[in-house]
Amino acid sequence: MKLVRYGDKGAERPGLLDADGRVRDLSDHVADISGACLTRAGLEALRALDPARLPLVEGTPQQDLRLGACVAGVGKFLAVGLNYADHAAEAGMEVPAEPILFTKWTSCIAGPDDDLTLPPDSIATDWEVELGIVIGDGGRDIAPDRAARHIAGYCVINDISERDWQLRRGGTWDKGKGYDGFGPVGPWLVTADEVPDPRALRLWLDVDGRRRQDGTTATMVFGPEEIVSYASRFTTLHPGDVIATGTPPGVGMGQKPPVYLQRGQVMRLGIDGLGQQRQRAI
């Protein structure tokens, strides 16, 4: 299934994509695409529905029908740094022996095509296309060989980062990662059963039509199951939590000389099978 949230900001409704790529409304069955409906039991209940019998929503998604972030009520937005060896190299850092975990504040979550308002004093706002994990059944101290059972699905994330704040403003990453709008999520949540190999996905990002990132999840240092297991050692994961799994090379910081977002520029990004995003910097 491909689960979506559609409508105006702050008033999104739950839906799913049918076989024709049209949105069908789920409001009679779930309050939102969040926690309870993302557990194994919750997803099974949604799979039992006949999409053709659900109300058809007017408009074409991502054209004349706005999509919000594909998950609501996110309790934790975790992320993994330097999880691609070639990205670590372009950043001039060593490949980590363990996943580098940090947080993106949930107030940064945005729709996949919402405009990105650059911070007034931004000098180094950067892009990072990433595979996102959405937690289904929660848990703590999850064994690696059980971690797949805790993944509801996958999505596209742009882990937007203000590098000056991240690296030179006191030594913590979070304030460079959590500014409002720095976490576009979606366009849809693709359930795990439709992603047979999350380590065989191409991901890419363009800025003003120029290809900046073009990689594959096959080069991740730590795969989704390792990441879920590792994160659960330090915090209880809950249904609807989101984890961004790292980015391939090609970020602005890695260019020679570095290149950062300017007002008016447009980012387009996507992952095979998981959809595309578009953000304009304003």
Side-chain angles (χ1 to χ4, degrees):
M1 288 184 297
K2 292 182 174 67
L3 302 175
V4 301
R5 299 175 63 250
Y6 69 91
D8 295 337
K9 288 184 182 180
E12 293 92 346
R13 297 166 65 89
L16 60 77
L17 286 190
D18 64 18
D20 297 319
R22 302 289 302 276
V23 174
R24 298 282 179 162
D25 183 67
L26 284 172
S27 298
D28 289 341
H29 301 277
V30 294
D32 212 334
I33 305 300
S34 60
C37 81
L38 296 176
T39 63
R40 288 195 298 275
L43 291 176
E44 283 303 315
L46 293 181
R47 287 191 187 97
L49 301 174
D50 178 1
R53 299 178 67 86
L54 298 171
L56 182 64
V57 178
E58 277 191 42
T60 301
Q62 298 188 277
Q63 294 184 26
D64 55 350
L65 177 63
R66 176 187 175 270
L67 298 183
C70 60
V71 188
V74 176
K76 285 187 290 295
F77 191 171
L78 304 178
V80 181
L82 304 177
N83 195 31
Y84 287 71
D86 36 11
H87 172 54
E90 75 172 350
M93 300 179 184
E94 293 185 2
V95 175
E98 299 183 23
I100 297 174
L101 291 178
F102 61 92
T103 60
K104 290 177 74 74
W105 298 318
T106 56
S107 53
C108 81
I109 294 174
D113 306 310
D114 292 345
D115 286 344
L116 168 67
T117 301
L118 295 179
D121 55 347
S122 168
I123 61 173
T125 298
D126 205 346
W127 53 82
E128 295 190 17
V129 59
E130 307 203 4
L131 173 68
I133 297 168
V134 180
I135 298 297
D137 287 7
R140 187 178 64 183
D141 295 324
I142 299 168
D145 61 355
R146 302 278 296 175
R149 293 172 55 83
H150 294 263
I151 297 174
Y154 299 93
C155 61
V156 181
I157 292 176
N158 193 354
D159 175 19
I160 299 167
S161 311
E162 215 298 342
R163 301 300 189 188
D164 187 58
W165 298 3
Q166 176 191 357
L167 301 174
R168 293 179 289 277
R169 296 283 294 273
T172 63
W173 285 19
D174 295 4
K175 59 181 172 285
K177 296 283 191 172
Y179 192 81
D180 291 2
F182 274 23
V185 177
W188 28 78
L189 188 166
V190 181
T191 52
D193 59 297
E194 295 193 7
V195 186
D197 188 356
R199 297 204 66 165
L201 301 173
R202 177 173 167 264
L203 59 173
W204 56 271
L205 182 145
D206 296 344
V207 180
D208 283 351
R210 179 175 177 180
R211 183 60 45 94
R212 291 292 188 177
Q213 293 186 271
D214 195 349
T216 169
T217 57
T219 64
M220 287 193 294
V221 180
F222 306 102
E225 295 174 19
E226 294 172 277
I227 290 168
V228 168
S229 175
Y230 186 83
S232 75
R233 292 169 55 186
F234 306 101
T235 181
T236 299
L237 298 175
H238 294 101
D241 285 350
V242 173
I243 307 175
T245 61
T247 197
V251 300
M253 180 177 65
Q255 310 298 312
K256 301 186 186 307
V259 177
Y260 295 116
L261 282 171
Q262 305 297 316
R263 287 169 178 80
Q265 290 188 311
V266 174
M267 294 176 286
R268 294 182 184 273
L269 57 146
I271 301 178
D272 287 354
L274 303 185
Q276 300 184 16
Q277 299 184 356
R278 176 190 183 276
Q279 296 104 33
R280 178 170 59 100
I282 62 173

